[in-house]
Amino acid sequence: MKMKQVMGLAAAVLMLAGPGLVWGQQNAAPSKEAPKNTEPRKAGVSPTAADPSVMPKSGEKDTPLTKPGAPEPPTATNAEIKFEEMNHDFGRIASGKPQTHKFKFTNTGTEKLVVQQVRTSCGCTAAALDKKEFEPGEGSTIDVTFNPKGKGVQAKTITVVHNGRNGPDTMLNIKSEVFEPVEVIPPTLQLGDMVRGKARTEHVMVVSEDSNLQIKSIDVNGDLVEAKVASAPPSDVQDARAGKVGIDITFDGNLPVGRFLRVITVKAMASPTAGAPQEEWELKINAFANVVGDLKAEPASIRVPTTNPNTAFSEEVIVSRRSGQPFKIIEATPVNANLPGLEVKTEPYASGDVKGYKVIFSGNTGPTAGIIRGNVLLKTDVAEEPEFRVQFTGMIRDPNVPKGEAPPPSAPMQLPSKQAPATKPTESKPH
């Protein structure tokens, strides 16, 4: 009896709940995807306007179609820019002499022409337009100045950005054959090593198509170098041009040891073209050299191979004189060294034409990882070079760092508290 009561009660509940559940299902809003816009995107319309389904969420911004700060391209109208010529050839022109050409244009359209921008390639400039808007039938000129440099055929472009129907830009072109009215051969002197105490003279030639070429002045930006007009052009420099003048450049033997640069400025008078009056032309000659003393080390510096702490090492160099003259090393000591316990020994050396001393540099790397640097000071009986230095460098590896890896930032190499300033290990500098 009780079971029948329970089942009857459950049936009653289902009958009462059933219609409500069915009503709720029938009236629930169906879950459907928003219809996608399958029409092709129209030019000039942003993605969000063409397809509402990709509208940005609240707080988001639409992605711009152009780079920030870049000017928007002008909207095409029924204006039209027409140039009398699109190309101009300056012909054969002299380097360093600017040339200007006017490109004339007219608005041949039926609406207002707006010239938004004029861009030029390297070596050209365009004068700013007095106005940028032109009514139908109205026009102006774009003045382009070309500053030729060097020599050879050169071409440049000018881009005019506008709102004409033949836009958004129109390209103009200029070209020329650039030549040097006056040249110096060679324009640069790479002298390499120059031994102190030995003067040296180099020869260059100034050339021009003008047979009446003249040198107006010659200046040097430093002492101990003299430049003057030669009695005749150098025979080892060949050139077919009619005008030739030689210049002798002498470097004094007392130039200080070390690298140097001298600039020789030559001003010449020559006609750029046949029949034209002479003009002044300025030329620059750069002279580079490394002045060294009579004493030399081979190799030029001592390099201790990378090794571990508490490791013995020994390296050597041969010191001799370029002149081959005999000399003596009176004393040899390490200076400005950041590694204690270094020892320097010397012994006579002779091999073929080389006679001098073998300088043996040895020691122990000690317990600390870091950089080795300093100099070996040699005192000699050479009057001009009583002291001669050979630089040494090296590295003591931290054994806790795997080979080929740098130490971590948290554990930098420890260097001695006193260390010599870093210097280039590529050459010895006699003093």
Side-chain angles (χ1 to χ4, degrees):
M1 189 68 178
K2 288 182 178 181
M3 179 62 70
K4 290 182 179 180
Q5 290 178 349
V6 172
M7 293 179 65
L9 181 60
V13 171
L14 289 172
M15 291 179 65
L16 291 172
L21 290 173
V22 174
W23 183 89
Q25 292 173 355
Q26 290 177 343
N27 292 277
S31 176
K32 296 182 179 180
E33 293 182 1
K36 293 184 179 179
N37 189 342
T38 58
E39 294 182 3
R41 185 177 298 170
K42 297 180 180 180
V45 180
S46 69
T48 55
D51 188 354
S53 68
V54 294
M55 286 289 288
K57 297 178 182 179
S58 175
E60 293 183 350
K61 294 183 180 180
D62 196 6
T63 302
L65 299 179
T66 57
K67 293 181 180 180
E72 291 288 340
T75 302
T77 67
N78 281 327
E80 183 177 19
I81 189 168
K82 184 174 182 180
F83 286 88
E84 289 188 356
E85 58 177 337
M86 306 286 288
N87 307 288
H88 179 73
D89 189 347
F90 285 109
R92 192 166 184 268
I93 59 177
S95 176
K97 295 295 181 181
Q99 306 288 324
T100 299
H101 180 70
K102 296 179 181 292
F103 284 97
K104 187 176 181 180
F105 68 89
T106 304
N107 177 10
T108 58
T110 59
E111 292 187 78
K112 182 186 294 183
L113 171 69
V114 179
V115 177
Q116 185 183 77
Q117 188 182 19
V118 179
R119 299 192 301 264
T120 60
S121 59
C122 181
C124 283
T125 56
L129 290 169
D130 293 336
K131 53 185 292 186
K132 294 187 176 182
E133 298 183 359
F134 303 89
E135 298 295 335
E138 190 179 7
S140 185
T141 61
I142 293 177
D143 299 351
V144 177
T145 299
F146 171 50
N147 188 18
K149 294 291 184 183
K151 57 183 177 180
V153 176
Q154 300 180 14
K156 307 294 178 181
T157 59
I158 303 95
T159 303
V160 183
V161 182
H162 57 88
N163 70 336
R165 58 186 175 224
N166 57 337
D169 52 54
T170 298
M171 194 82 71
L172 307 174
N173 303 283
I174 62 172
K175 71 173 184 177
S176 61
E177 181 186 354
V178 184
F179 72 97
E180 294 278 6
V182 183
E183 288 186 85
V184 60
I185 304 174
T188 300
L189 296 175
Q190 295 282 3
L191 306 175
D193 285 347
M194 290 179 53
V195 179
R196 179 176 168 82
K198 292 184 178 180
R200 180 171 171 178
T201 300
E202 296 290 328
H203 311 281
V204 299
M205 185 166 65
V206 180
V207 296
S208 172
E209 293 182 356
D210 184 359
S211 59
N212 294 318
L213 169 69
Q214 299 178 27
I215 302 301
K216 184 178 179 180
S217 64
I218 304 175
D219 295 304
V220 182
N221 71 333
D223 58 355
L224 302 178
V225 177
E226 181 183 14
K228 63 180 181 179
V229 175
S231 57
S235 58
D236 58 337
V237 181
Q238 303 298 320
D239 193 275
R241 281 168 280 193
K244 297 184 182 69
V245 177
I247 294 178
D248 293 338
I249 305 172
T250 301
F251 302 88
D252 194 286
N254 293 317
L255 281 165
V257 170
R259 300 183 185 277
F260 83 88
L261 163 66
R262 290 290 188 272
V263 180
I264 299 96
T265 302
V266 179
K267 292 184 178 180
M269 299 297 295
S271 171
T273 56
Q278 284 193 332
E279 301 179 35
E280 182 180 293
W281 308 89
E282 185 176 281
L283 309 169
K284 299 287 186 181
I285 305 168
N286 296 318
F288 302 89
N290 180 42
V291 180
V292 296
D294 190 24
L295 289 171
K296 69 173 182 176
E298 184 63 40
S301 63
I302 300 170
R303 173 67 181 173
V304 179
T306 300
T307 187
N308 294 321
N310 299 312
T311 302
F313 64 87
S314 179
E315 300 295 329
E316 60 186 43
V317 297
I318 304 301
V319 177
S320 61
R321 295 184 69 172
R322 290 180 171 85
S323 63
Q325 297 296 316
F327 72 103
K328 290 182 180 180
I329 292 181
I330 302 170
E331 184 181 344
T333 54
V335 294
N336 299 325
N338 62 347
L339 189 65
L342 298 178
E343 184 178 1
V344 182
K345 296 180 179 180
T346 63
E347 59 183 51
Y349 175 86
S351 178
D353 295 334
V354 179
K355 293 180 175 60
Y357 286 84
K358 179 186 292 186
V359 179
I360 304 166
F361 174 81
S362 61
N364 190 287
T365 56
T368 306
I371 299 172
I372 304 170
R373 60 164 67 94
N375 293 273
V376 173
L377 174 62
L378 304 175
K379 293 186 177 181
T380 77
D381 65 348
V382 180
E384 298 81 10
E385 298 175 75
E387 291 187 350
F388 182 73
R389 292 174 186 256
V390 180
Q391 187 183 68
F392 63 82
T393 59
M395 172 68 74
I396 305 172
R397 183 189 300 114
D398 188 338
N400 297 319
V401 177
K403 189 175 181 180
E405 294 184 13
S410 58
M413 288 187 175
Q414 297 180 357
L415 300 178
S417 58
K418 294 182 180 181
Q419 64 182 51
T423 54
K424 295 182 179 179
T426 56
E427 61 180 0
S428 62
K429 293 186 177 181
H431 291 278

